[in-house]
Amino acid sequence: MPLDPLRGKPAPPDRIVNVAKVVSDYYTLPPKAPVSFGTSGHRGGASRGSFNEAHVAAITAAAIEYRRMKGHGGPLFMGHDTHALSEPAWRTALGVLAGQNVPTVINANGEYSPTPVISFMILEHNKKHPDSLADGLIITPSHNPPDDGGIKYNPPHGGPADVDATGWIEKRAAELMDSYGIGEFKKVSLEKTLASDPVTVMDFVRPFVKGLGEIIDFPVIKSAGLKLAADPLGGSGARYWEPVAEEYGIDITVVNPRVDPSFSFMTLDGDGAIRMDCSSPYAMANLLEHSKGFDLAFGNDPDFDRHGIVSDGVLMNPNHFLATAIHYLLNNRPNWNKTGKIGKTLVSSCLIDRVTRGLGREIYETPVGFKWFVPGLLSGDLLFGGEESAGASFARKDGTHWTTDKDGFCMALLAAEIMAKTGKSPLALSESLAEKYGATDYERLDS
């Protein structure tokens, strides 16, 4: 695909989505495409007829049937990101859940909820209440363009649903869409939903922020006095960085605090589309410019399950940061299981294999999709799971599981810990590893 001449430049008016039209199409256009679960839920666009209210209502209703069939009697944690379609889809799903009397927990003040936060909340509940298992729904199309929508189901293991679950929900949602009109799904208005007994409002931010102290060495970051820059790319974690900075006394500046469902502040991706891809140097052009004067900078996609690390003014290749992170963690987590494995997808860099085996650890290689890491992360057999698309999670300092979905927060903060502890930038360490292990697929993104 040829590169667009405006790549890395501010989006011109003719490429900015009409939010009002997109939301209107969500409510008024009939579905033209079936429910289809990919590697991470159902995604589509309202104007294309592939993400409309009927899709969301049917998927939610099918997920309710699935959780009841499996005996999951605990609460359902629900979150959403900042895409234009996420708010209306969140409202639709809430109405269906309340109409079916499903105990549902949402973030306080209607606040956005990143993917790793929902995973964390599910797992924390289930540790304390094993007889009343919780699960979750997350409304997000990840890093996709502003007019896209998405919805995914996370079972009680906290991570992306496996193919058995997604296959069942997809099939049942299709049957429901064929049988019922949207009015038969929506039982309760938003006003009544928020006042109803099944819906509980809880602060997701503080528990997650406090939990981060069990996975990241914040004292070493504070002692190093690093100046950190964060760009949420208008995403659901925008209001999490300030509480992190306050809780742990570290210096984080949010260089772009804007939340705008049109994402009009973005620079264009390589193909000329607005896409919040934190592994693209074109989409991250603003942060690359703003990173000057900071020791380290990082960005995340709208649901904060991906990370982009800017080190020495360069956006690191995601694969090479994964290798750097693995090398550091295996040398700096003394309480980790000595036989624990490192998970990677089969299309990820061979540098990961060489670093891991060079430290005497075993690689667990999977097809593309984070769902393949979930059982191992949950059991502790996997200490780290990472995929080529800049998504990863790893164990707490004591070796127990953290999240079973990708966590952009922990990976960004780990980059700061690495720099604080070693005194070297993640990019410099990455290049040293490539030189040591002779990785043939090593290439800097700025080369």
Side-chain angles (χ1 to χ4, degrees):
M1 180 182 294
L3 292 173
D4 191 280
L6 294 181
R7 64 189 183 280
K9 304 295 183 184
D14 65 343
R15 300 197 193 183
I16 295 173
V17 68
N18 183 335
V19 171
K21 181 181 184 303
V22 169
V23 173
S24 177
D25 289 345
Y26 171 81
Y27 287 111
T28 60
L29 291 186
K32 299 176 183 177
V35 172
S36 178
F37 276 75
T39 57
S40 190
H42 172 83
R43 294 178 185 174
S47 302
R48 303 190 299 274
S50 52
F51 192 86
N52 305 91
E53 189 170 28
H55 292 100
V56 176
I59 291 168
T60 305
I64 292 170
E65 291 189 22
Y66 180 82
R67 75 191 307 268
R68 285 175 175 165
M69 179 179 69
K70 292 294 184 180
H72 306 329
L76 183 144
F77 289 88
M78 190 159 83
H80 66 303
D81 77 1
T82 53
H83 277 78
L85 289 172
S86 293
E87 179 75 21
W90 179 79
R91 290 169 178 246
T92 298
L94 265 181
V96 175
L97 290 162
Q100 294 295 317
N101 206 38
V102 176
T104 305
V105 186
I106 59 174
N107 206 350
N109 303 312
E111 184 59 78
Y112 304 110
S113 304
T115 286
V117 173
I118 297 299
S119 179
F120 171 84
M121 297 300 291
I122 293 170
L123 293 171
E124 287 297 289
H125 172 91
N126 291 343
K127 279 194 296 187
K128 299 172 185 174
H129 307 282
D131 297 327
S132 180
L133 294 177
D135 51 9
L137 283 173
I138 309 169
I139 313 293
T140 175
S142 189
H143 63 293
N144 283 18
D147 57 347
D148 273 19
I151 179 170
K152 57 185 179 179
Y153 173 69
N154 282 28
H157 60 48
D162 62 23
V163 292
D164 290 339
T166 57
W168 193 96
I169 293 171
E170 178 184 290
K171 182 175 182 292
R172 182 58 180 147
E175 293 171 350
L176 291 171
M177 282 180 62
D178 288 341
S179 303
Y180 300 105
I182 185 64
E184 296 181 62
F185 288 118
K186 288 190 67 179
K187 303 294 185 182
V188 182
S189 68
L190 180 66
E191 182 180 9
K192 291 181 179 179
T193 295
L194 296 178
S196 66
D197 289 337
V199 177
T200 301
V201 175
M202 181 184 296
D203 177 18
F204 292 175
V205 180
R206 284 296 170 185
F208 182 78
V209 168
K210 286 185 176 294
L212 285 168
E214 298 176 20
I215 190 169
I216 298 295
D217 188 347
F218 284 104
V220 76
I221 300 174
K222 182 178 180 180
S223 297
L226 297 181
K227 291 182 63 179
L228 308 172
D231 188 347
L233 300 184
S236 57
R239 298 189 181 99
Y240 283 70
W241 286 125
E242 185 176 345
V244 169
E246 290 176 352
E247 178 74 22
Y248 298 106
I250 60 176
D251 185 351
I252 302 177
T253 299
V254 178
V255 296
N256 172 27
R258 283 185 65 186
V259 173
D260 172 5
S262 73
F263 294 90
S264 58
F265 49 79
M266 287 293 298
T267 50
L268 298 177
D269 204 355
D271 61 355
I274 295 178
R275 185 179 293 105
M276 290 65 68
D277 183 356
C278 51
S279 61
S280 164
Y282 307 116
M284 290 275 277
N286 284 331
L287 181 57
L288 286 165
E289 178 63 28
H290 289 142
S291 68
K292 298 170 183 176
F294 291 94
D295 297 302
L296 190 71
F298 35 80
N300 301 93
D301 67 334
D303 74 321
F304 266 64
D305 70 347
R306 300 187 183 200
H307 59 277
I309 308 300
V310 177
S311 177
D312 299 329
V314 173
L315 177 63
M316 292 186 67
N317 181 305
N319 280 283
H320 306 147
F321 179 64
L322 292 181
T324 304
I326 291 164
H327 184 269
Y328 173 83
L329 288 167
L330 291 179
N331 282 292
N332 289 275
R333 292 295 187 267
N335 294 322
W336 273 13
N337 177 5
K338 301 304 181 185
T339 60
K341 300 175 185 178
I342 299 298
K344 69 175 283 275
T345 52
L346 59 86
V347 294
S348 298
S349 171
C350 68
L351 183 59
I352 295 173
D353 302 70
R354 295 179 183 186
V355 165
T356 302
R357 290 174 178 142
L359 292 172
R361 296 299 186 112
E362 186 177 342
I363 283 283
Y364 177 77
E365 192 167 74
T366 72
V368 173
F370 203 79
K371 61 180 175 285
W372 304 111
F373 299 132
V374 172
L377 288 171
L378 193 62
S379 68
D381 292 333
L382 280 185
L383 299 171
F384 183 100
E387 60 180 17
E388 75 294 337
S389 59
S393 188
F394 54 93
R396 298 173 196 245
K397 288 180 282 188
D398 67 2
T400 60
H401 63 261
W402 167 244
T403 63
T404 47
D405 214 326
K406 295 172 286 190
D407 184 355
F409 290 102
C410 74
M411 292 301 291
L413 291 165
L414 180 65
E417 181 188 329
I418 290 170
M419 189 171 191
K421 186 71 175 286
T422 66
K424 298 178 181 179
S425 72
L427 181 66
L429 291 170
S430 172
E431 292 177 332
S432 296
L433 288 173
E435 183 177 355
K436 177 178 179 179
Y437 289 101
T440 57
D441 59 352
Y442 188 88
E443 181 181 7
R444 287 173 57 142
L445 285 181
D446 64 339
S447 60

